[in-house]
Amino acid sequence: AQKITQTQPGMFVQEKEAVTLDCTYDTSDQSYGLFWYKQPSSGEMIFLIYQGSYDEQNATEGRYSLNFQKARKSANLVISASQLGDSAMYFCAMRVAETSGSRLTFGEGTQLTVNP
Amino acid sequence: DGGITQSPKYLFRKEGQNVTLSCEQNLNHDAMYWYRQDPGQGLRLIYYSQIVNDFQKGDIAEGYSVSREKKESFPLTVTSAQKNPTAFYLCASSRHHIGYQPQHFGDGTRLSIL
């Protein structure tokens, strides 16, 4: 079975500073994908960034980067230059090979608040 | 613009009543998914469908039913057997059921008990 752990229920950051949201995962599969989603208060889930288990370089998408440490089974999201609009719930998720229907397993989420 | 449309945005259910949540996508995606989210928690998979006329139970399928008669549509019925249906329901789709394409989500339906 797969499991995602997000140990920070809430995080606060000052506008324009960087923030790291933690995510650890557990799986016995060698091939998997890791995703981060943003959920504003309105409820929709917005895809941010993806990291494959065989990718040698950390993924980056604009102000988002994923600090992937395979041996430690961690996939932390780094948001640089935080903006007020970054205030939202952030979910880490994992997807393993098609044997399980390629379902996403989600963590409990981290509520990020960006202060002016 | 392509996307996923969920309706209604808010839904109220009376005791003993079945209700159906709509999910339509025009992304030409093969796979579709239904998730449930309770307050302050992550998403849990209810049902998923990899191709038309096929669907599989997820982790919390009891009290729910689905159909996949068309590629674009994946409605979810919350039956009277679901004793605690109050939650936020999210529909998602991805291009294929294999590989690691990201899942794209609709805006969700909030279901409450009257």
Side-chain angles (χ1 to χ4, degrees):
Chain A
Q2 296 77 42
K3 186 175 181 180
I4 295 284
T5 302
Q6 295 179 253
T7 58
Q8 306 156 314
M11 287 285 287
F12 295 87
V13 65
Q14 288 298 121
E15 194 177 7
K16 300 181 183 178
E17 292 185 350
V19 62
T20 298
L21 306 183
D22 293 341
C23 172
T24 58
Y25 60 91
D26 187 23
T27 181
S28 57
D29 288 72
Q30 297 301 310
S31 178
Y32 50 88
L34 295 157
F35 302 80
W36 277 92
Y37 284 85
K38 171 184 178 182
Q39 187 178 41
S41 57
S42 51
E44 73 269 28
M45 296 285 283
I46 302 166
F47 165 69
L48 295 178
I49 194 166
Y50 159 79
Q51 178 84 42
S53 58
Y54 293 115
D55 293 341
E56 295 185 351
Q57 291 193 325
N58 287 341
T60 60
E61 287 287 347
R63 295 187 297 111
Y64 304 107
S65 60
L66 202 153
N67 184 0
F68 181 47
Q69 298 187 46
K70 194 170 182 177
R72 302 176 70 175
K73 292 190 174 181
S74 74
N76 299 338
L77 177 70
V78 180
I79 305 174
S80 63
S82 296
Q83 302 172 355
L84 296 177
D86 293 335
S87 293
M89 196 76 164
Y90 289 81
F91 290 96
C92 179
M94 176 169 60
R95 192 173 186 181
V96 297
E98 61 269 21
T99 51
S100 61
S102 291
R103 66 179 65 186
L104 280 174
T105 299
F106 285 84
E108 296 282 307
T110 295
Q111 180 69 49
L112 176 66
T113 302
V114 180
N115 295 316
Chain B
D1 285 341
I4 300 174
T5 301
Q6 289 188 244
S7 62
K9 195 171 180 67
Y10 299 93
L11 187 57
F12 299 91
R13 195 191 88 169
K14 295 180 181 178
E15 293 287 343
Q17 184 182 42
N18 293 353
V19 292
T20 297
L21 284 60
S22 170
C23 178
E24 303 277 333
Q25 55 100 358
N26 60 3
L27 300 167
N28 199 31
H29 285 173
D30 288 325
M32 297 187 74
Y33 309 81
W34 273 106
Y35 293 91
R36 170 181 170 139
Q37 186 179 28
D38 292 285
Q41 297 187 26
L43 279 66
R44 293 183 290 167
L45 183 66
I46 305 172
Y47 267 99
Y48 63 97
S49 169
Q50 300 173 356
I51 54 173
V52 175
N53 292 323
D54 181 67
F55 49 84
Q56 307 293 330
K57 291 182 179 180
D59 300 320
I60 55 166
E62 186 174 351
Y64 300 97
S65 66
V66 294
S67 63
R68 187 85 186 276
E69 297 177 0
K70 299 186 300 181
K71 188 175 185 178
E72 304 80 20
S73 179
F74 191 42
L76 173 73
T77 296
V78 184
T79 75
S80 57
Q82 173 49 248
K83 298 306 180 188
N84 184 23
T86 298
F88 187 51
Y89 292 86
L90 283 157
C91 178
S93 70
S94 63
R95 187 176 304 171
H96 301 297
H97 69 277
I98 59 174
Y100 301 113
Q101 295 88 2
Q103 290 182 13
H104 299 273
F105 287 79
D107 289 344
T109 293
R110 294 190 186 276
L111 176 61
S112 302
I113 292 290
L114 279 178

Coordinates of all heavy atoms in Angstrom, one line a residue, chain B residues 1-82:
Chain B
D1 N -12.6 26.5 -24.3 CA -11.5 25.9 -23.5 C -11.9 24.5 -23.0 O -13.1 24.3 -22.6 CB -11.2 26.8 -22.3 CG -10.4 28.0 -22.7 OD1 -9.9 28.0 -23.8 OD2 -10.4 29.0 -21.9
G2 N -11.0 23.6 -23.1 CA -11.2 22.3 -22.6 C -11.2 22.2 -21.1 O -10.4 23.0 -20.5
G3 N -12.0 21.3 -20.5 CA -12.0 21.2 -19.1 C -13.0 20.2 -18.5 O -13.5 19.4 -19.3
I4 N -13.1 20.2 -17.2 CA -14.1 19.3 -16.6 C -15.1 20.1 -15.9 O -14.8 21.1 -15.2 CB -13.3 18.5 -15.5 CG1 -12.2 17.7 -16.2 CG2 -14.3 17.6 -14.8 CD1 -11.3 16.9 -15.2
T5 N -16.4 19.8 -16.2 CA -17.5 20.5 -15.6 C -18.3 19.6 -14.7 O -18.7 18.5 -15.0 CB -18.5 21.0 -16.7 OG1 -17.8 21.8 -17.6 CG2 -19.6 21.7 -16.1
Q6 N -18.4 20.1 -13.4 CA -19.2 19.4 -12.4 C -20.4 20.2 -12.1 O -20.4 21.4 -12.0 CB -18.4 19.2 -11.1 CG -17.3 18.1 -11.3 CD -16.6 17.8 -9.9 OE1 -15.5 18.1 -9.7 NE2 -17.4 17.3 -9.0
S7 N -21.5 19.5 -12.0 CA -22.8 20.1 -11.6 C -23.6 19.2 -10.7 O -23.5 18.0 -10.9 CB -23.5 20.6 -12.8 OG -23.9 19.5 -13.6
P8 N -24.4 19.8 -9.8 CA -24.4 21.2 -9.5 C -23.3 21.6 -8.6 O -22.5 20.7 -8.1 CB -25.8 21.3 -8.7 CG -26.0 20.0 -8.1 CD -25.4 19.0 -9.1
K9 N -23.1 22.8 -8.3 CA -22.1 23.2 -7.4 C -22.4 22.9 -5.9 O -21.6 22.5 -5.1 CB -21.9 24.8 -7.5 CG -20.6 25.3 -6.9 CD -20.3 26.7 -7.3 CE -19.0 27.2 -6.7 NZ -17.9 26.6 -7.3
Y10 N -23.7 23.0 -5.6 CA -24.2 22.7 -4.3 C -25.4 21.7 -4.5 O -26.2 21.9 -5.4 CB -24.7 23.9 -3.5 CG -23.6 24.9 -3.2 CD1 -23.3 26.0 -4.1 CD2 -22.7 24.8 -2.1 CE1 -22.3 26.9 -3.9 CE2 -21.7 25.7 -1.9 CZ -21.5 26.7 -2.8 OH -20.5 27.6 -2.6
L11 N -25.5 20.8 -3.6 CA -26.6 19.8 -3.7 C -27.0 19.4 -2.3 O -26.2 19.2 -1.4 CB -26.1 18.6 -4.4 CG -27.1 17.5 -4.8 CD1 -28.3 18.1 -5.6 CD2 -26.4 16.4 -5.5
F12 N -28.4 19.3 -2.1 CA -28.9 18.9 -0.8 C -29.7 17.6 -1.0 O -30.4 17.4 -1.9 CB -29.8 20.0 -0.2 CG -29.0 21.3 0.0 CD1 -29.0 22.2 -1.0 CD2 -28.4 21.5 1.2 CE1 -28.3 23.4 -0.8 CE2 -27.7 22.7 1.4 CZ -27.6 23.6 0.4
R13 N -29.5 16.7 0.0 CA -30.1 15.4 -0.1 C -31.0 15.2 1.1 O -30.6 15.5 2.3 CB -29.1 14.3 -0.1 CG -29.6 12.9 -0.6 CD -28.7 11.8 -0.4 NE -28.8 11.2 1.0 CZ -28.2 10.1 1.3 NH1 -27.5 9.4 0.5 NH2 -28.4 9.6 2.6
K14 N -32.2 14.7 0.9 CA -33.1 14.3 1.9 C -32.8 12.8 2.4 O -32.2 12.1 1.6 CB -34.5 14.4 1.5 CG -35.0 15.8 1.2 CD -36.4 15.8 0.7 CE -36.9 17.2 0.4 NZ -38.3 17.2 -0.1
E15 N -33.2 12.5 3.5 CA -33.0 11.1 4.0 C -33.7 10.1 3.1 O -34.8 10.4 2.6 CB -33.6 11.0 5.4 CG -32.9 11.8 6.5 CD -31.6 11.2 6.9 OE1 -31.3 10.0 6.6 OE2 -30.7 11.9 7.5
G16 N -33.0 9.1 2.8 CA -33.5 8.0 1.9 C -33.5 8.3 0.4 O -34.1 7.5 -0.3
Q17 N -32.9 9.4 0.1 CA -33.0 9.8 -1.3 C -31.7 9.5 -2.0 O -30.6 9.7 -1.4 CB -33.2 11.4 -1.4 CG -33.4 12.0 -2.7 CD -33.6 13.5 -2.7 OE1 -33.0 14.1 -1.9 NE2 -34.6 14.0 -3.4
N18 N -31.7 9.1 -3.3 CA -30.5 9.0 -4.1 C -30.3 10.3 -4.8 O -31.3 11.0 -5.3 CB -30.7 7.9 -5.2 CG -30.8 6.5 -4.5 OD1 -30.6 6.4 -3.3 ND2 -31.0 5.5 -5.4
V19 N -29.1 10.8 -5.0 CA -28.8 11.9 -5.8 C -27.6 11.6 -6.7 O -26.8 10.8 -6.4 CB -28.4 13.2 -4.9 CG1 -29.7 13.6 -4.1 CG2 -27.3 12.8 -4.0
T20 N -27.7 12.3 -7.9 CA -26.6 12.1 -8.9 C -25.8 13.4 -9.1 O -26.4 14.4 -9.4 CB -27.2 11.6 -10.2 OG1 -27.9 10.3 -9.9 CG2 -26.2 11.4 -11.2
L21 N -24.5 13.2 -9.1 CA -23.6 14.3 -9.4 C -23.1 14.1 -10.8 O -22.6 13.0 -11.2 CB -22.4 14.3 -8.4 CG -22.7 14.8 -7.0 CD1 -23.7 14.0 -6.2 CD2 -21.4 14.8 -6.2
S22 N -23.1 15.2 -11.5 CA -22.7 15.1 -12.9 C -21.2 15.5 -13.1 O -20.7 16.4 -12.4 CB -23.5 16.1 -13.7 OG -23.0 16.2 -15.1
C23 N -20.5 14.8 -14.0 CA -19.1 15.2 -14.4 C -19.0 15.0 -15.9 O -19.2 13.8 -16.4 CB -18.1 14.3 -13.6 SG -16.4 14.6 -14.1
E24 N -18.6 16.0 -16.5 CA -18.4 16.0 -18.0 C -17.1 16.6 -18.3 O -16.7 17.6 -17.8 CB -19.5 16.8 -18.7 CG -20.9 16.4 -18.4 CD -21.4 15.3 -19.3 OE1 -20.9 15.1 -20.4 OE2 -22.3 14.5 -18.8
Q25 N -16.4 15.9 -19.3 CA -15.1 16.4 -19.7 C -15.0 16.5 -21.2 O -15.5 15.6 -21.9 CB -13.9 15.6 -19.1 CG -14.0 14.1 -19.4 CD -13.1 13.7 -20.5 OE1 -12.4 14.5 -21.2 NE2 -13.1 12.4 -20.7
N26 N -14.3 17.5 -21.7 CA -14.1 17.6 -23.2 C -12.6 17.7 -23.5 O -12.2 18.3 -24.5 CB -14.8 18.9 -23.7 CG -14.3 20.2 -23.1 OD1 -13.4 20.2 -22.3 ND2 -15.0 21.3 -23.4
L27 N -11.9 17.0 -22.7 CA -10.4 16.9 -22.9 C -10.0 15.6 -23.6 O -8.8 15.4 -23.9 CB -9.8 16.8 -21.5 CG -10.0 18.1 -20.6 CD1 -9.6 17.8 -19.2 CD2 -9.3 19.3 -21.2
N28 N -11.0 14.8 -24.0 CA -10.8 13.6 -24.7 C -9.9 12.6 -23.9 O -9.1 11.8 -24.4 CB -10.1 13.8 -26.1 CG -10.2 12.6 -27.0 OD1 -11.2 11.9 -26.9 ND2 -9.3 12.4 -27.8
H29 N -10.1 12.7 -22.6 CA -9.3 11.8 -21.7 C -10.0 10.5 -21.5 O -11.2 10.3 -21.5 CB -9.2 12.5 -20.3 CG -8.2 13.6 -20.2 ND1 -8.1 14.4 -19.1 CD2 -7.3 14.0 -21.1 CE1 -7.1 15.3 -19.3 NE2 -6.7 15.1 -20.5
D30 N -9.2 9.4 -21.4 CA -9.7 8.1 -21.3 C -10.1 7.8 -19.9 O -11.2 7.1 -19.6 CB -8.6 7.0 -21.7 CG -8.4 7.0 -23.2 OD1 -9.4 7.2 -23.9 OD2 -7.2 6.8 -23.6
A31 N -9.4 8.2 -18.9 CA -9.6 7.8 -17.5 C -10.3 8.9 -16.7 O -10.1 10.1 -16.9 CB -8.3 7.5 -16.8
M32 N -11.2 8.5 -15.9 CA -12.0 9.5 -15.1 C -12.1 8.9 -13.6 O -12.1 7.7 -13.4 CB -13.4 9.8 -15.6 CG -13.3 10.4 -17.0 SD -14.9 11.0 -17.6 CE -15.2 12.4 -16.6
Y33 N -12.2 9.8 -12.7 CA -12.1 9.5 -11.2 C -13.1 10.3 -10.4 O -13.4 11.4 -10.8 CB -10.7 9.8 -10.7 CG -9.6 9.2 -11.5 CD1 -9.1 9.8 -12.7 CD2 -8.9 8.0 -11.2 CE1 -8.1 9.3 -13.4 CE2 -7.9 7.5 -11.9 CZ -7.5 8.2 -13.1 OH -6.5 7.6 -13.8
W34 N -13.6 9.7 -9.3 CA -14.3 10.4 -8.4 C -13.6 10.3 -7.0 O -13.3 9.2 -6.6 CB -15.8 9.9 -8.2 CG -16.7 10.4 -9.2 CD1 -17.3 9.8 -10.3 CD2 -17.3 11.7 -9.1 NE1 -18.1 10.7 -10.9 CE2 -18.2 11.9 -10.2 CE3 -17.2 12.8 -8.2 CZ2 -18.9 13.0 -10.5 CZ3 -18.0 13.9 -8.5 CH2 -18.8 14.0 -9.6
Y35 N -13.5 11.5 -6.4 CA -12.9 11.6 -5.0 C -13.9 12.2 -4.1 O -14.7 13.1 -4.4 CB -11.6 12.4 -5.0 CG -10.5 11.8 -5.8 CD1 -10.3 12.1 -7.2 CD2 -9.6 11.0 -5.2 CE1 -9.3 11.6 -7.9 CE2 -8.5 10.5 -5.9 CZ -8.4 10.8 -7.2 OH -7.3 10.2 -8.0
R36 N -13.7 11.9 -2.8 CA -14.5 12.5 -1.7 C -13.5 13.2 -0.8 O -12.4 12.7 -0.5 CB -15.2 11.5 -0.9 CG -15.8 12.0 0.4 CD -16.6 10.9 1.1 NE -17.0 11.4 2.5 CZ -18.1 11.2 3.0 NH1 -19.0 10.4 2.4 NH2 -18.4 11.6 4.2
Q37 N -13.8 14.4 -0.4 CA -13.0 15.2 0.5 C -13.8 15.6 1.7 O -14.8 16.3 1.6 CB -12.3 16.4 -0.2 CG -11.3 17.1 0.7 CD -10.7 18.3 0.0 OE1 -11.3 18.9 -0.8 NE2 -9.5 18.7 0.4
D38 N -13.4 15.2 2.9 CA -14.0 15.7 4.1 C -13.2 16.9 4.7 O -12.1 17.0 4.4 CB -14.1 14.5 5.1 CG -15.1 13.5 4.7 OD1 -16.3 13.7 4.8 OD2 -14.6 12.4 4.2
P39 N -13.9 17.7 5.5 CA -13.2 19.0 6.0 C -11.9 18.7 6.6 O -11.7 17.8 7.5 CB -14.2 19.5 7.0 CG -15.5 19.0 6.5 CD -15.3 17.6 6.0
G40 N -10.9 19.5 6.1 CA -9.5 19.4 6.7 C -8.8 18.1 6.3 O -7.7 17.8 7.0
Q41 N -9.3 17.4 5.4 CA -8.6 16.1 5.0 C -8.2 16.1 3.5 O -8.7 16.9 2.7 CB -9.5 14.9 5.4 CG -9.8 14.8 6.8 CD -10.6 13.6 7.1 OE1 -10.5 12.6 6.4 NE2 -11.3 13.6 8.3
G42 N -7.5 15.1 3.2 CA -7.1 14.8 1.8 C -8.2 14.2 1.1 O -9.3 14.0 1.6
L43 N -8.0 13.8 -0.2 CA -9.0 13.2 -1.1 C -8.9 11.7 -1.0 O -7.8 11.1 -0.9 CB -8.7 13.6 -2.5 CG -9.2 15.0 -2.9 CD1 -8.5 16.1 -2.2 CD2 -9.1 15.1 -4.4
R44 N -10.1 11.1 -1.0 CA -10.1 9.6 -1.0 C -10.9 9.2 -2.3 O -11.9 9.7 -2.6 CB -10.8 9.1 0.2 CG -10.0 9.3 1.5 CD -10.7 8.8 2.7 NE -12.0 9.5 3.0 CZ -12.9 9.1 3.9 NH1 -12.7 7.9 4.5 NH2 -13.9 9.8 4.2
L45 N -10.4 8.1 -2.9 CA -10.9 7.6 -4.2 C -12.2 6.8 -4.0 O -12.2 5.8 -3.2 CB -9.9 6.8 -4.9 CG -10.2 6.3 -6.3 CD1 -10.4 7.5 -7.3 CD2 -9.2 5.3 -6.8
I46 N -13.2 7.2 -4.7 CA -14.5 6.4 -4.6 C -14.6 5.4 -5.7 O -14.8 4.2 -5.5 CB -15.7 7.4 -4.7 CG1 -15.6 8.5 -3.7 CG2 -17.0 6.6 -4.6 CD1 -16.7 9.6 -3.8
Y47 N -14.5 5.9 -7.0 CA -14.6 5.0 -8.1 C -13.6 5.6 -9.2 O -13.4 6.8 -9.2 CB -16.0 4.9 -8.7 CG -16.8 3.8 -8.2 CD1 -17.8 4.0 -7.2 CD2 -16.8 2.5 -8.8 CE1 -18.6 3.0 -6.8 CE2 -17.6 1.5 -8.3 CZ -18.5 1.7 -7.3 OH -19.3 0.7 -6.9
Y48 N -13.2 4.7 -10.1 CA -12.5 5.2 -11.3 C -12.8 4.4 -12.5 O -13.3 3.2 -12.4 CB -11.0 5.3 -11.0 CG -10.3 3.9 -10.8 CD1 -9.7 3.2 -11.8 CD2 -10.3 3.4 -9.5 CE1 -9.1 2.0 -11.6 CE2 -9.7 2.1 -9.3 CZ -9.1 1.5 -10.3 OH -8.5 0.2 -10.1
S49 N -12.6 5.0 -13.7 CA -12.9 4.3 -14.9 C -11.8 4.5 -15.9 O -11.4 5.7 -16.1 CB -14.2 4.9 -15.5 OG -14.4 4.5 -16.8
Q50 N -11.3 3.5 -16.4 CA -10.1 3.6 -17.3 C -10.6 3.7 -18.8 O -9.9 4.3 -19.6 CB -9.3 2.3 -17.1 CG -8.7 2.2 -15.7 CD -8.0 0.9 -15.5 OE1 -7.9 0.1 -16.3 NE2 -7.4 0.8 -14.3
I51 N -11.7 3.1 -19.1 CA -12.3 3.2 -20.5 C -13.8 3.2 -20.4 O -14.4 2.8 -19.3 CB -11.8 2.1 -21.4 CG1 -12.1 0.7 -20.7 CG2 -10.3 2.2 -21.7 CD1 -11.9 -0.5 -21.6
V52 N -14.4 3.5 -21.5 CA -15.9 3.5 -21.5 C -16.4 2.1 -21.2 O -15.8 1.0 -21.5 CB -16.4 3.9 -22.9 CG1 -17.9 3.8 -23.1 CG2 -15.9 5.3 -23.2
N53 N -17.5 2.0 -20.5 CA -18.2 0.8 -20.1 C -17.4 -0.1 -19.1 O -17.7 -1.3 -19.0 CB -18.6 -0.1 -21.3 CG -19.7 0.6 -22.2 OD1 -20.6 1.2 -21.6 ND2 -19.5 0.5 -23.5
D54 N -16.4 0.6 -18.4 CA -15.7 -0.2 -17.4 C -15.4 0.8 -16.3 O -15.1 1.9 -16.5 CB -14.4 -0.7 -18.0 CG -13.5 -1.4 -17.0 OD1 -14.0 -2.5 -16.6 OD2 -12.5 -0.9 -16.6
F55 N -15.5 0.3 -15.0 CA -15.2 1.1 -13.9 C -14.8 0.2 -12.7 O -15.2 -1.0 -12.7 CB -16.3 2.0 -13.5 CG -17.6 1.4 -13.4 CD1 -18.0 0.8 -12.2 CD2 -18.6 1.5 -14.4 CE1 -19.3 0.2 -12.1 CE2 -19.8 0.9 -14.3 CZ -20.2 0.3 -13.2
Q56 N -14.0 0.7 -11.8 CA -13.5 -0.1 -10.7 C -13.8 0.7 -9.4 O -13.8 1.9 -9.3 CB -12.0 -0.3 -10.8 CG -11.6 -0.9 -12.2 CD -12.0 -2.3 -12.3 OE1 -12.2 -3.0 -11.4 NE2 -12.3 -2.7 -13.6
K57 N -14.0 -0.1 -8.3 CA -14.1 0.5 -7.0 C -12.8 1.0 -6.5 O -11.7 0.5 -6.7 CB -14.6 -0.6 -6.0 CG -16.1 -1.0 -6.3 CD -16.5 -2.0 -5.2 CE -17.9 -2.5 -5.4 NZ -18.4 -3.4 -4.4
G58 N -12.9 2.2 -5.8 CA -11.8 2.7 -5.1 C -11.8 2.3 -3.7 O -12.2 1.2 -3.3
D59 N -11.3 3.2 -2.8 CA -11.1 2.8 -1.4 C -12.4 3.0 -0.6 O -12.5 2.3 0.5 CB -10.1 3.7 -0.8 CG -8.7 3.6 -1.5 OD1 -8.4 2.4 -1.8 OD2 -8.0 4.6 -1.7
I60 N -13.4 3.8 -1.0 CA -14.6 4.0 -0.2 C -15.8 3.9 -1.1 O -16.6 4.8 -1.1 CB -14.5 5.4 0.5 CG1 -14.2 6.5 -0.5 CG2 -13.4 5.4 1.6 CD1 -14.4 7.9 0.1
A61 N -16.0 2.9 -1.9 CA -17.1 2.8 -2.8 C -18.5 2.5 -2.2 O -19.5 2.7 -2.9 CB -16.7 1.7 -3.9
E62 N -18.5 2.0 -1.0 CA -19.8 1.6 -0.4 C -20.7 2.8 -0.3 O -20.4 3.8 0.2 CB -19.6 1.0 1.0 CG -20.8 0.4 1.6 CD -20.6 -0.3 2.9 OE1 -19.4 -0.5 3.2 OE2 -21.6 -0.6 3.5
G63 N -22.0 2.5 -0.9 CA -23.0 3.6 -0.8 C -23.0 4.5 -2.1 O -23.8 5.4 -2.1
Y64 N -22.1 4.2 -3.0 CA -22.0 5.0 -4.2 C -22.1 4.1 -5.4 O -21.8 2.9 -5.4 CB -20.6 5.7 -4.3 CG -20.3 6.6 -3.2 CD1 -19.6 6.3 -2.1 CD2 -20.8 8.0 -3.2 CE1 -19.3 7.1 -1.1 CE2 -20.5 8.8 -2.2 CZ -19.8 8.4 -1.1 OH -19.5 9.3 -0.1
S65 N -22.5 4.6 -6.6 CA -22.5 3.9 -7.8 C -22.2 4.9 -9.0 O -22.3 6.1 -8.8 CB -23.9 3.2 -8.1 OG -24.9 4.2 -8.3
V66 N -21.6 4.3 -10.0 CA -21.2 5.1 -11.2 C -21.6 4.4 -12.5 O -22.0 3.2 -12.5 CB -19.7 5.4 -11.2 CG1 -19.3 6.2 -10.0 CG2 -18.9 4.1 -11.2
S67 N -21.5 5.1 -13.6 CA -21.7 4.6 -14.9 C -20.7 5.3 -15.8 O -20.3 6.4 -15.6 CB -23.1 4.7 -15.4 OG -23.5 6.0 -15.5
R68 N -20.3 4.6 -16.9 CA -19.5 5.3 -17.9 C -19.9 4.8 -19.3 O -19.3 4.0 -20.0 CB -18.0 4.8 -17.7 CG -17.0 5.6 -18.6 CD -16.6 6.9 -18.1 NE -15.8 7.7 -19.0 CZ -14.5 7.6 -19.1 NH1 -13.8 6.6 -18.5 NH2 -13.8 8.3 -19.9
E69 N -21.0 5.4 -19.7 CA -21.6 5.0 -21.0 C -21.0 5.8 -22.2 O -21.1 5.4 -23.3 CB -23.1 5.2 -20.9 CG -23.8 4.3 -19.9 CD -25.3 4.6 -19.8 OE1 -25.8 5.4 -20.6 OE2 -26.0 3.9 -19.0
K70 N -20.5 7.0 -21.8 CA -19.8 7.8 -22.8 C -18.4 8.2 -22.3 O -18.3 8.4 -21.1 CB -20.7 9.1 -23.1 CG -22.0 8.8 -23.6 CD -22.7 10.1 -24.0 CE -22.9 11.1 -22.8 NZ -23.5 12.3 -23.2
K71 N -17.5 8.4 -23.2 CA -16.2 8.8 -22.8 C -16.2 10.1 -22.0 O -15.4 10.3 -21.1 CB -15.3 9.0 -24.1 CG -13.8 9.2 -23.8 CD -13.1 9.2 -25.1 CE -11.6 9.3 -24.8 NZ -10.8 9.3 -26.1
E72 N -17.1 11.0 -22.4 CA -17.1 12.4 -21.8 C -17.7 12.4 -20.4 O -17.6 13.4 -19.7 CB -17.8 13.3 -22.7 CG -17.3 13.4 -24.1 CD -17.8 12.3 -25.0 OE1 -18.8 11.6 -24.7 OE2 -17.1 12.0 -26.0
S73 N -18.5 11.4 -20.0 CA -19.4 11.5 -18.9 C -19.1 10.4 -17.9 O -19.0 9.3 -18.2 CB -20.8 11.5 -19.3 OG -21.7 11.6 -18.2
F74 N -19.1 10.8 -16.6 CA -18.9 9.8 -15.5 C -19.7 10.3 -14.3 O -19.2 10.8 -13.3 CB -17.4 9.8 -15.2 CG -17.0 8.7 -14.3 CD1 -17.5 7.4 -14.4 CD2 -16.0 8.9 -13.3 CE1 -17.1 6.3 -13.6 CE2 -15.6 7.8 -12.5 CZ -16.1 6.6 -12.6
P75 N -21.0 10.1 -14.3 CA -21.8 10.5 -13.2 C -21.7 9.6 -12.0 O -21.5 8.4 -12.1 CB -23.3 10.4 -13.8 CG -23.2 9.4 -14.9 CD -21.8 9.5 -15.4
L76 N -21.8 10.2 -10.8 CA -21.7 9.5 -9.5 C -23.1 9.6 -8.8 O -23.6 10.7 -8.7 CB -20.7 10.2 -8.7 CG -20.6 9.7 -7.2 CD1 -19.9 8.3 -7.2 CD2 -19.8 10.7 -6.4
T77 N -23.6 8.5 -8.4 CA -24.9 8.5 -7.7 C -24.6 8.2 -6.2 O -23.9 7.2 -5.9 CB -25.9 7.5 -8.2 OG1 -26.3 7.8 -9.5 CG2 -27.1 7.4 -7.3
V78 N -25.0 9.0 -5.3 CA -24.9 8.8 -3.9 C -26.2 8.2 -3.4 O -27.3 8.8 -3.5 CB -24.6 10.1 -3.1 CG1 -24.4 9.9 -1.7 CG2 -23.4 10.9 -3.8
T79 N -26.2 7.0 -3.0 CA -27.4 6.2 -2.7 C -27.8 6.4 -1.2 O -27.0 6.9 -0.4 CB -27.2 4.7 -3.0 OG1 -26.4 4.2 -2.0 CG2 -26.6 4.5 -4.4
S80 N -29.0 6.0 -0.9 CA -29.4 6.1 0.5 C -28.6 5.2 1.4 O -28.6 5.4 2.6 CB -30.9 5.8 0.6 OG -31.1 4.5 0.0
A81 N -27.9 4.3 0.8 CA -27.0 3.4 1.7 C -25.8 4.1 2.2 O -25.2 3.7 3.1 CB -26.6 2.2 0.8
Q82 N -25.5 5.3 1.6 CA -24.4 6.1 2.1 C -24.9 6.9 3.3 O -25.6 7.9 3.1 CB -23.8 7.0 1.0 CG -22.7 8.0 1.4 CD -21.6 7.4 2.3 OE1 -21.5 7.7 3.4 NE2 -20.8 6.5 1.7

